[in-house]
Amino acid sequence: YNTLLSACARVGDVERSLQVLERIKDEELMPNAKTYAELLKCAYIAKDTSLSFTLWGDIKEMGFTENPKIVKYSPIVRVGDVWG
């Protein structure tokens, strides 16, 4: 699923990436740091700050905030890049 999320992220397809996340959860799989990194990347490319901050809340709950893949696309880091 992370490969599919990576493809969604490359083109900023937020809708499809969220569908993939739901499928992951429906199959009772656990999203990992790579999963959330791709979701954040997608939100960044789509310039969707609302989604970025929503995902960031999930990431904090799961304890992934120190993961380098996550930090790269953290909404706090990226908001300035996109809208600065």
Side-chain angles (χ1 to χ4, degrees), residues 30-54:
M30 178 66 86
N32 59 23
K34 173 71 173 163
T35 305
Y36 280 102
E38 293 301 336
L39 290 163
L40 276 176
K41 181 178 175 183
C42 186
Y44 167 71
I45 290 171
K47 298 181 180 181
D48 189 333
T49 53
S50 178
L51 177 58
S52 292
F53 283 101
T54 298

Side-chain angles (χ1 to χ4, degrees), residues 2-60:
N2 287 344
T3 302
L4 183 55
L5 285 171
S6 180
C8 292
R10 277 194 296 273
V11 295
D13 190 342
V14 170
E15 183 177 338
R16 187 156 303 171
S17 68
L18 292 176
Q19 289 172 352
V20 172
L21 179 61
E22 283 306 309
R23 186 161 182 178
I24 290 169
K25 291 177 179 180
D26 288 347
E27 292 185 15
E28 298 181 9
L29 299 172
M30 178 66 86
N32 59 23
K34 173 71 173 163
T35 305
Y36 280 102
E38 293 301 336
L39 290 163
L40 276 176
K41 181 178 175 183
C42 186
Y44 167 71
I45 290 171
K47 298 181 180 181
D48 189 333
T49 53
S50 178
L51 177 58
S52 292
F53 283 101
T54 298
L55 291 169
W56 192 248
D58 294 344
I59 288 163
K60 286 188 341 186

